[in-house]
Amino acid sequence: MLAFSGDLDAPALGVLEELLLDPRLREPGAWTLDMTGLDHIDLACAYALLRTVTRTPEPVALTVRGARPSVHRTLRQAGLDTVAAFTA
């Protein structure tokens, strides 16, 4: 599980992409992104999440948990809803 809080925007993009390249993320076949503490995500960061999930060598079951309406909307705009299940 990855937990996010605060804002994910342009200044955080490099750190997010580095985190998402961690080889340990390649091991599990199911990821949960806990976004209950996330106030804002911009499209660049949402696309980074989408790229990571769609480029994994093995399929990943992705669940996004607790996204606020504005965060959920941005993730949908990036297309993450095509590869993820959203839960409250």
Side-chain angles (χ1 to χ4, degrees):
M1 176 171 60
L2 293 174
F4 298 93
S5 64
D7 294 329
L8 278 178
D9 51 16
L13 182 58
V15 174
L16 175 63
E17 288 179 328
E18 186 175 317
L19 170 71
L20 295 173
L21 289 174
D22 189 315
R24 292 174 292 183
L25 286 179
R26 305 294 177 253
E27 295 171 9
W31 298 354
T32 299
L33 305 180
D34 183 351
M35 299 199 168
T36 54
L38 190 62
D39 298 321
H40 169 78
I41 186 170
D42 70 4
L43 274 173
C45 290
Y47 283 125
L49 291 171
L50 179 64
R51 277 192 309 274
T52 300
V53 171
T54 57
R55 292 181 181 169
T56 59
E58 297 294 324
V60 171
L62 179 65
T63 302
V64 175
R65 183 172 61 194
R68 298 170 192 252
S70 61
V71 170
H72 190 152
R73 186 171 38 255
T74 302
L75 295 173
R76 274 196 337 266
Q77 288 173 340
L80 206 68
D81 60 328
T82 63
V83 296
F86 286 80
T87 63

